[in-house]
Amino acid sequence: MYDFTYEKPTEIASATAILGKDDEAKALAGGQTFIPVLKQRLNKPTVVVDLAKLGLSGITVTPTTVTIGAMTTHAAVADSAEVAHAIPGLAHLASMIGDWQVRHRGTIGGSLANNDPSACYPAAVLALGATITTDRRSISADDYFQGMFTTALEQGELITSVTFPVPVASSYLKFKNPASRYAMVGVFIAKFDTGVRVAVTGASQSGVFRHTAFEAALSTNFTADAIAKIATPADGLNSDIHASADYRAHLIGVMARRAVAAAK
Amino acid sequence: MNVMFEGIGASMRRKEDLRFINGHGHYTDDINRPGQLYAIIRRSDRPHAKLLGIDTKAAKAAPGVIAVYTHADMAPDNLGGIPCGWQIHSKDGSPMAEPAHPILATGKVRHVGDPVAVVIAETRAQAKTAAELLEIDYEDLPAIAAVTDAIAPGAPVVHDEIGSNTCFDWHIGDKDMVDAAFARAAQTVKLDLTNNRLVPNAMETRCAIGEYDAMSGDYTLYTTSQNPHVIRLLMGAFVLHLPEHRLRVVAPDVGGGFGSKIYHYAEEALVTWCAGKLKRPVKWTADRSEAFMSDAHGRDHVSTAEMALDADGTFLALRVATIANMGAYLSTFAPAVPTYLYATLLAGVYKTPAVYAEVHAVFTNTVPVDAYRGAGRPEATFLLERLMDVIAHDTGHDRVELRRRNFIPADAFPYQTPVALQYDSGDYQTTLNKALANIAWDDFPARRAEAAGRGKLRGIGISTYVEACGIAPSKLVGQLGARAGLYEVANIRVHPTGSVTVFTGTHSHGQGHETTFAQLVADQLGIPFANVDVVHGDTNKIPFGMGTYGSRSLAVGGSAMVKAMDKIIAKGKKIAAHLMEASVEDIEFANGEFSVAGTDKKKTIGEIALTAYVPHNYPIDEIEPGLDETAFYDPKNFTFPGGCHICEVEIDPETGVTSVVNFVAVDDVGRVINPMIVEGQVQGGVAQGIGQALLEAAIYDDQAQLVSGSFMDYTMPRADDLPNILVGTETTLCTHNPLGVKGCGEVGAIGSPPAVINAVVDALRDYGVRHIDMPASPQKIWAIINAGAQKMAAE
Ligand SMILES: Cc1cc2nc3c(=O)[nH]c(=O)nc-3n(C[C@H](O)[C@H](O)[C@H](O)COP(=O)(O)OP(=O)(O)OC[C@H]3O[C@@H](n4cnc5c(N)ncnc54)[C@H](O)[C@@H]3O)c2cc1C
């Protein structure tokens, strides 16, 4: 770790002020991604702004929405009976991230700001069509994700919360990378009265994406059979020591069918 | 009084766990010496390159930096290179190629991780920052990682002075006899297979602290080692040229070794040398990424195996050709692993009358490869036990009956194999029978059908193995190329009031020696378990020793304790005879008491000890005071644990994921001192075996970059990857050591991998699969299923 200045503001305005005026200033949430990066000296921030005292954690559930503060930990989402009731797939997703230690430190805001192509939350946010609220605006999920490790956030812009519409049914199925246990292929299915949205994480070179062929088929017939014959093209999918693009393409189908069968 | 049984055979709780579980273990990195400096090693990020120059100016000027050293700075001291402890001779009688292995690279770097320079600073962070400021001028060279690339014509040469990548080209067995048997065989079966390269990944990464006392001229090295005396010998005599009395090596609590902490590593010599130069202690601690590229790796063989059989399935001859990866330099035991720890085991548990094996060891641009839990025997066992199932597959013989038909029978011991070893004892039918019973082998078809109903492919696989451990008879290994003796040393100190301290030259780094040895000594001397303590890991406390590896600690180290106790008892008898006015011949020792035969006169060992230390009424003209004896024990032979492992898996055909659902091990490890510890050792070994079979692989790309260089990519087995592992033992005693013990540290890792792969292949039998190399990853299995499904669809 290189030396840096550490700040722990109590007002969002002061946090964004520090972050806004210095390109090398960085926000710190749960630190589960950022601290390993610092330890490996892959990042050399001037100032680290800890978001812990900004009052950004908490979960609010209404009949139509679930809003989760940016600093809410994965464990809090996984353990919330209200979330489990409203969007079972979301609570299940949070319960499958990393291990106990990671879930008790890592946050939804950190995960979304980072937008790791193998992260789980982006699949839920995109499939559910959530809205990301920042210190200055609201961003729709379809606009937010812009490729791996790239988002619509501006320098110094802070996520404050994420609002998910409550679907009719949802589920998340994850094929874990055998080593890291991040998603090698993760599929989130969200069924609304208006149609079905399907998002895939872990698989693509350009990060989380919507599977429009599955969406069209499932919107008319919400059964695993409806997508059994739809092949996912391997073009543009990741290939690494654990999974070729072909294998990932195949797993997308398997995970999606299982997710449909498990949706509730 | 309620006396709990705590002698040989009792599952005593591990004494050492009190401190380990409470976080009070004291590891090398927990040690901080006054005035300590920190070393950071700048390592090559190039697999193969000329080292044209190193600009140290900016690094030397960085805050907190005390010194920066490169090979050029060390050269004036005429230090030795890192020595190799074993010399193999090629078929033509020439000695193996033994290239220089400098502490810091000179001329060329030969693998990613090769140490190039060291920065010493007041803090670790300062040293790290300065190390980044070193400017290293490289000229990249083409590199090779795979053994098959190393022997290809025109391959880049790792050590120019050798002219090729061959370290040695060795053989064992009777080639003519094998060729003749193949010529007349009714059938032959051939299998090509690889044994995957592994990264040991002990939980504690390596650490070393060098210290120099300018007043006495004494050096101390604290290090994460399995054998502090060996490090003192190698580093003192061959590298730094320090006499033993000036060099103390301490290996305190060590958090796992699995072989990777046997070897003398450059960092140990480096911190000790730096401490002498700077007159301040110097500490180096590897981080995990550094461990991946600097701890010796394991396995990495490419082999062909061929068996000649007669018509009824009796083995006539085995022919094996193996290419073994040595990595970029020779690590301490490296040449012994694919030769005397591997090819000598190729008879296995079978009475194959002729065996011939050729082993071609090659250098590559990879981390050095050396012994890793099992060392050579897992490679031999995987080859043989895969071959058994392939023979059964190709010839139609039942895989259990094929093994039974060819087993060395229980009444054939001692059994001389055609590849040098003489097995002293074993009973392979019995371990097989018990394992078959424990897993309910005969009911497997019903379990397979039930799994099929759930859409799962269930398979069962068997492995029957023998291994050679308890290393080793010094004279024999000397003939085989070892450059040291492999005896063990024990010092038993009976204190004046009868408690005992045992000083052992073996080293415990997870095995529970402090418990097993205390149990052994308490049992033999007839004193309470609580009254015995075991000391290990410090060359200033322990007379000598060769350390812990090759499942030798009990068989060799424990036998040394028995010999030392024999001396204690013999001396005690003389003292007892004097005290009780009897003749020595009439004194008997049992249950901690010396008694005069045929009388009720007796003295406890405590009373005898007190007399020995307070010799007022003592045969002082005949014997010395004190009750403190040392013994060196050189084993007469290797020991030969064996047994049977059976694994049951279920495969999800849609994803290719394999779950191990059932695992049974029945091992013959000789006499068992502590059944709980044996069970844990076997389970740990099996966990590593399952890891090798299904999960782990050190993968280099074709540029010789280590792709699986962190836990993000290297799949370590986790608790939820493992089934309940049911461990059973069946005992035949070792015939040549006083305890009848064989060793249990490695059997799990040796027996299990082929059982797992055999189960996977069995699960996939409807897909026309004959063999799968390790690790049988989901991707690999899915590809097989997918290809099979496409073929079936086409037909
Ligand atoms: C061992 C391990 C296993 C893991 N497994 C998984 C897994 O299976 N699935 C998965 O999805 N993830 C996994 N993770 C990642 C984990 O979920 C992290 O918590 C997450 O990626 C980052 O969240 P954080 O709160 O720790 O953010 P930090 O690491 O603190 O920050 C990450 C980045 O986001 C920025 N940031 C943080 N908060 C905000 C905000 N509110 N507004 C703007 N920018 C912000 C930071 O500046 C930084 O650049 C794993 C991590 C580890 C260490």
Side-chain angles (χ1 to χ4, degrees), chain A residues 1-2 39-41 175-182 240-244 246-247 250-251 254-255 257-258, chain B residues 125-126 128-129 132 289 652 654-657 695 699 707-708 711-715 718 720-721 778-779 782:
Chain A
M1 221 178 269
Y2 296 107
K39 282 168 72 176
Q40 289 182 288
R41 298 184 157 217
F175 189 99
K176 294 174 183 169
N177 174 305
S180 73
R181 303 223 172 159
Y182 274 68
D240 54 34
I241 56 175
H242 296 290
S244 64
D246 283 338
Y247 182 41
H250 166 78
L251 287 176
V254 178
M255 292 297 112
R257 290 197 296 279
R258 292 183 183 180
Chain B
Q126 287 169 332
K128 255 192 160 174
T129 301
E132 289 166 2
S289 312
D652 177 344
E654 276 195 317
T655 59
V657 171
L695 306 166
I699 297 175
V707 184
S708 53
F711 290 140
M712 291 298 280
D713 294 303
Y714 186 90
T715 312
R718 306 190 196 200
D720 64 359
D721 289 315
Q779 152 163 269
W782 171 75

Side-chain angles (χ1 to χ4, degrees), chain B residues 346-635:
Chain B
L346 287 171
V349 289
Y350 309 109
K351 48 185 201 253
T352 317
V355 176
Y356 177 68
E358 294 174 285
V359 178
H360 187 180
V362 299
F363 294 107
T364 60
N365 296 112
T366 63
V367 175
V369 179
D370 207 328
Y372 167 65
R373 201 170 192 169
R377 293 97 84 206
E379 294 91 316
T381 304
F382 184 68
L383 178 141
L384 275 178
E385 293 306 296
R386 273 305 299 136
L387 186 60
M388 290 305 122
D389 272 28
V390 168
I391 293 169
H393 171 273
D394 289 6
T395 64
H397 286 287
D398 176 82
R399 51 194 160 147
V400 175
E401 289 316 313
L402 180 77
R403 286 174 167 89
R404 280 195 202 283
R405 167 182 297 276
N406 289 286
F407 273 163
I408 298 161
D411 60 9
F413 295 92
Y415 178 80
Q416 178 63 50
T417 75
V419 272
L421 298 177
Q422 193 185 81
Y423 304 163
D424 65 333
S425 65
D427 182 352
Y428 311 126
Q429 298 281 4
T430 298
T431 43
L432 171 66
N433 289 341
K434 186 157 176 196
L436 292 172
N438 285 1
I439 204 148
W441 176 271
D442 292 338
D443 301 337
F444 176 74
R447 296 197 291 279
R448 183 172 165 105
E450 184 276 334
R454 289 181 280 113
K456 294 284 167 62
L457 308 171
R458 193 161 173 131
I460 193 163
I462 193 164
S463 154
T464 50
Y465 76 93
V466 62
E467 68 124 330
C469 63
I471 52 180
S474 295
K475 185 174 172 192
L476 176 63
V477 294
Q479 288 162 358
L480 302 182
R483 288 166 166 163
L486 285 170
Y487 49 83
E488 198 41 80
V489 185
N491 169 221
I492 306 262
R493 185 168 301 162
V494 183
H495 300 293
T497 59
S499 66
V500 172
T501 303
V502 180
F503 297 86
T504 173
T506 66
H507 185 276
S508 190
H509 30 279
Q511 296 89 341
H513 291 177
E514 291 169 40
T515 304
T516 302
F517 292 158
Q519 246 178 294
L520 166 64
V521 170
D523 182 282
Q524 305 277 292
L525 294 182
I527 59 177
F529 172 69
N531 288 3
V532 185
D533 265 357
V534 176
V535 174
H536 59 92
D538 186 338
T539 60
N540 269 18
K541 293 183 184 161
I542 291 128
F544 201 68
M546 300 310 295
T548 287
Y549 41 82
S551 303
R552 67 190 304 275
S553 300
L554 183 60
V556 190
S559 295
M561 289 171 204
V562 172
K563 276 193 71 180
M565 285 189 281
D566 287 346
K567 294 187 190 178
I568 297 274
I569 292 164
K571 186 170 181 182
K573 282 184 177 172
K574 289 185 189 161
I575 302 168
H578 174 87
L579 287 180
M580 296 187 279
E581 295 171 345
S583 85
V584 174
E585 293 71 47
D586 290 337
I587 303 292
E588 291 169 347
F589 179 73
N591 303 320
E593 289 171 338
F594 294 88
S595 55
V596 182
T599 73
D600 58 1
K601 285 204 246 178
K602 53 182 142 184
K603 293 280 177 194
T604 65
I605 189 164
E607 290 169 307
I608 295 299
L610 192 61
T611 307
Y613 285 98
V614 187
H616 296 164
N617 176 15
Y618 196 79
I620 202 84
D621 296 336
E622 284 166 50
I623 51 176
E624 297 166 11
L627 202 52
D628 186 334
E629 297 288 349
T630 297
F632 283 56
Y633 175 81
D634 202 78

Side-chain angles (χ1 to χ4, degrees), chain A residues 10 25 34 133 146 210 252 257:
Chain A
T10 51
F34 191 37
T133 306
Q146 303 192 343
R210 282 176 63 183
I252 290 171
R257 290 197 296 279

Side-chain angles (χ1 to χ4, degrees), chain A residues 26-36 51 56 70-71 74 96-99 102 105-111 113-114 116 118-122 153 157-160 174 180-183:
Chain A
K26 288 277 284 178
L28 172 70
Q32 296 304 292
T33 296
F34 191 37
I35 288 178
L51 309 182
L56 292 180
M71 288 295 287
H74 310 326
M96 305 260 292
I97 295 175
D99 49 44
V102 169
R105 295 292 310 167
T107 67
I108 189 169
S111 178
N114 195 47
D116 187 310
S118 310
C120 299
Y121 267 128
L153 293 178
E157 183 171 7
L158 283 181
I159 299 174
T160 52
K174 169 180 175 181
S180 73
R181 303 223 172 159
Y182 274 68

